[in-house]
Amino acid sequence: MINSFSTYLDQYGSLSEEAELSVERISHPTHLPGNHEILKQGNTLKSIYLILSGSARMYYYHDGREITNQFFFEGEVIADMESIYSGKRSNYTIQLLEDCSLIEMRYSDLEKLFQQFHDQEAIGRKLAIACYLEENQRNRSYQKNTAKGRYFDLLKTYPDILNRVNLSHISSYIGVTQVQLSRIRSKIAAF
Amino acid sequence: MINSFSTYLDQYGSLSEEAELSVERISHPTHLPGNHEILKQGNTLKSIYLILSGSARMYYYHDGREITNQFFFEGEVIADMESIYSGKRSNYTIQLLEDCSLIEMRYSDLEKLFQQFHDQEAIGRKLAIACYLEENQRNRSYQKNTAKGRYFDLLKTYPDILNRVNLSHISSYIGVTQVQLSRIRSKIAAF
DNA sequence: CGCCGAGTTGAACTGAATCAAGAAACGTGG
DNA sequence: CCACGTTTCTTGATTCAGTTCAACTCGGCG
C-alpha cells in the first residue's frame, strides 16, 4: 500500500533513516479537483505528485488533435520527466481526470536529496531504468501487435481503465482513432 | 569524439579523477567480427560494450519472425538493460552487423563503481533518464505518424542507416513489413 | 556459370482512417 | 426532478494504408 513517497521509493530500494526523514520533510499533501491542469503546455513543471487517489493524463497536440502520452493512477507519480529534468518549457499538458488526493514534492528539493544522499540517487537511477523498460515494452507492443493487441496490452497494465477514462484518451494513447477502438471493443464483447 | 568510456560518460556529467581512473581500469578494448553474437536468446548479458567503430542490433522473435528492437552505432553502448539490470535470461539476441572495435566493461565491475562513487551513480541516473526520453520519443512517433513518418523519424536519428543495415531490420524496427518499406522508399525516390 | 540473399513489384485482401449520422450518457439551469 | 444541450460513443459507407503471397530482378560470390 503506497501512502507516502517513502513507501513509493521503497519499491526500488531502501533508504537510510536520515534520507527517509528528509523525504517526508519535503512532502506536502494536497487535494485537487478533476479537470485541474497541473501543467499547461508552454510552462515548466516544478513539482512531482504522488497519487493517493484519483487519476491524470498527460497529452500533447498533433495536427490539432490531443494525443495522450501517459496515464497516471493510484500509487504512481505524475511528472513530465523531460520538462522537470531539463527545466525547459513543456509541450505537454497534464490534466487531472478525477478529484485527486496527492502528495506534492518540489523537484528542486528532491534534487538536493539526490546530491545529499547517495542511496537516494541510487533509487533514482533504478526508478529511471524501470521507466525506460516500461516505455520499451510499449514500443514492442507497437512492433508486434495490431491495434487490438495494443488495446489488450494496455488492459493488462490498467484493467479498470475503461471505467475511468474516456475512449478518445485511450485510443490516442494506443495510436488508433476513437472510432476504431469502439469497433474493436464491440467485436470483443460479441463472442 | 567518443573513444573511451570516460568520454562517453562525460556527455552526462563530470566524474572525479578517482572515479575516472577506475572506469579506465575496468575497460577492456576488443575487436569482434561482423555477425558475431554478443548475446544469445536465453543467456544473460554480463558486459556492456562501447562501440568505437561498427554497428550492432538487438532482436527478438515474434510469431517466428525477427523483430529488431534496437540499433547500436559508433559512440553508443551495446546493452540489454533488462537482462543486465535484472540478471535474468534475455529474450533478445544481440548481433554485430559489421566488424566492430569495442570497449568492454563487465557490469559487475560497473556496479561496484556505482556503489563506490556517488558521482558515478548520478551519471548513471542521468543516462537512464536519457534512455527513457529517447524511448518515449519513439512511442510518440508511433502515436502520431504513419509508417512513412516513422521511417523519416528514424532517418533523422540515423541518417546513414540505409547504407549499413538491411531493409528487413529497419522495417521490423519501425513496425512495418519489409515489402511496405520498400514501397515507401520507392515513392520517395520518385518525386 | 549458377546459386543465393536482398530488394522490387504486382494483385488480392485485411486493418484502419475518414466522414457522417444517430444513440446514449451527462451536467446544468430552471 | 425534468428538459435541454453538449459531450461521448456507436454504427455504416467509403477510401486509404499496410499485409500477404508470389514472381521477378539484381549483385555478389563460389
Side-chain angles (χ1 to χ4, degrees):
Chain A
M1 176 62 193
I2 292 163
N3 52 19
S4 66
F5 263 105
S6 306
T7 54
Y8 175 77
L9 295 172
D10 276 349
Q11 297 175 290
Y12 300 96
S14 61
L15 277 181
S16 67
E17 207 170 320
E18 198 190 350
E20 197 152 318
L21 281 173
S22 300
V23 166
E24 292 309 323
R25 204 172 300 126
I26 64 175
S27 293
H28 309 289
T30 337
H31 288 267
L32 287 170
N35 270 328
H36 176 85
E37 289 178 345
I38 281 186
L39 168 68
K40 288 187 193 182
Q41 192 184 31
N43 294 342
T44 308
L45 190 58
K46 299 271 168 60
S47 292
I48 64 177
Y49 300 84
L50 173 66
I51 304 183
L52 301 185
S53 73
S55 60
R57 73 179 180 119
M58 180 165 93
Y59 66 91
Y60 60 99
Y61 287 94
H62 181 253
D63 287 347
R65 330 187 160 198
E66 293 180 2
I67 300 184
T68 297
N69 186 44
Q70 202 74 53
F71 290 112
F72 308 95
F73 293 96
E74 287 84 2
E76 297 180 336
V77 168
I78 302 174
D80 168 16
M81 279 245 230
E82 197 165 347
S83 171
I84 274 213
Y85 181 65
S86 71
K88 287 183 190 156
R89 294 161 183 282
S90 179
N91 295 314
Y92 297 107
T93 298
I94 298 179
Q95 173 195 42
L96 301 187
L97 297 172
E98 304 166 312
D99 293 355
C100 283
S101 169
L102 305 163
I103 300 179
E104 179 175 0
M105 182 182 280
R106 292 188 65 79
Y107 188 67
S108 56
D109 289 338
L110 179 58
E111 275 273 279
K112 279 176 208 151
L113 295 197
F114 281 142
Q115 284 158 25
Q116 198 176 348
F117 301 107
H118 187 160
D119 52 358
Q120 179 77 41
E121 186 95 58
I123 286 183
R125 181 171 68 87
K126 285 174 189 168
L127 213 157
I129 290 174
C131 289
Y132 162 80
L133 292 177
E134 211 174 284
E135 212 62 10
N136 185 255
Q137 184 153 7
R138 229 173 119 189
N139 269 316
R140 291 204 302 281
S141 187
Y142 271 110
Q143 286 184 318
K144 56 189 185 191
N145 287 323
T146 179
K148 200 202 289 192
R150 271 171 281 156
Y151 173 63
F152 281 133
D153 278 355
L154 179 62
L155 285 186
K156 274 178 217 155
T157 320
Y158 298 122
D160 63 339
I161 196 169
L162 270 177
N163 309 315
R164 301 178 64 181
V165 178
N166 278 357
L167 211 55
S168 62
H169 300 157
I170 297 176
S171 69
S172 69
Y173 181 88
I174 62 174
V176 82
T177 58
Q178 181 268 324
V179 173
Q180 182 63 8
L181 181 53
S182 171
R183 287 191 228 272
I184 288 170
R185 236 174 31 156
S186 72
K187 270 180 213 160
I188 294 159
F191 64 93
Chain B
M1 176 64 193
I2 292 162
N3 53 19
S4 67
F5 263 105
S6 305
T7 53
Y8 175 77
L9 295 173
D10 277 348
Q11 297 175 292
Y12 299 96
S14 60
L15 278 180
S16 67
E17 208 170 319
E18 199 189 351
E20 197 152 320
L21 280 172
S22 300
V23 165
E24 292 309 323
R25 205 173 298 128
I26 64 175
S27 293
H28 309 289
T30 337
H31 288 267
L32 287 170
N35 269 330
H36 176 84
E37 288 178 347
I38 281 186
L39 168 68
K40 287 186 192 181
Q41 191 185 30
N43 294 342
T44 308
L45 189 58
K46 299 272 167 60
S47 292
I48 64 176
Y49 301 85
L50 174 66
I51 304 182
L52 301 183
S53 72
S55 60
R57 73 178 180 121
M58 179 165 94
Y59 66 91
Y60 61 100
Y61 288 94
H62 182 253
D63 287 347
R65 335 191 155 193
E66 293 180 1
I67 301 184
T68 297
N69 185 45
Q70 202 73 55
F71 290 112
F72 307 95
F73 292 95
E74 288 84 3
E76 296 179 338
V77 168
I78 303 174
D80 168 16
M81 279 245 230
E82 198 166 347
S83 171
I84 275 211
Y85 181 64
S86 72
K88 288 183 189 154
R89 294 161 183 284
S90 180
N91 295 314
Y92 296 107
T93 297
I94 298 179
Q95 174 194 43
L96 300 187
L97 296 172
E98 304 167 313
D99 294 353
C100 282
S101 170
L102 305 163
I103 301 180
E104 180 175 0
M105 181 181 282
R106 293 187 65 78
Y107 188 66
S108 56
D109 289 339
L110 180 57
E111 275 273 280
K112 279 176 208 152
L113 295 198
F114 281 143
Q115 284 159 25
Q116 198 176 349
F117 302 106
H118 187 157
D119 52 358
Q120 180 77 39
E121 186 96 58
I123 285 183
R125 181 171 69 87
K126 285 174 189 169
L127 212 156
I129 290 173
C131 289
Y132 161 80
L133 291 177
E134 211 173 282
E135 211 64 11
N136 185 255
Q137 183 153 9
R138 227 173 120 189
N139 269 317
R140 290 204 303 280
S141 187
Y142 271 109
Q143 287 184 319
K144 56 190 185 190
N145 286 324
T146 180
K148 201 202 289 192
R150 271 171 288 164
Y151 174 63
F152 281 133
D153 277 355
L154 179 62
L155 285 185
K156 272 178 220 157
T157 320
Y158 298 122
D160 64 339
I161 196 169
L162 269 176
N163 310 317
R164 301 178 65 180
V165 178
N166 277 359
L167 211 55
S168 62
H169 300 157
I170 298 176
S171 68
S172 68
Y173 181 88
I174 62 175
V176 83
T177 58
Q178 182 268 326
V179 173
Q180 181 63 6
L181 180 54
S182 171
R183 287 191 227 273
I184 287 170
R185 238 176 27 159
S186 71
K187 269 180 213 160
I188 295 159
F191 64 94

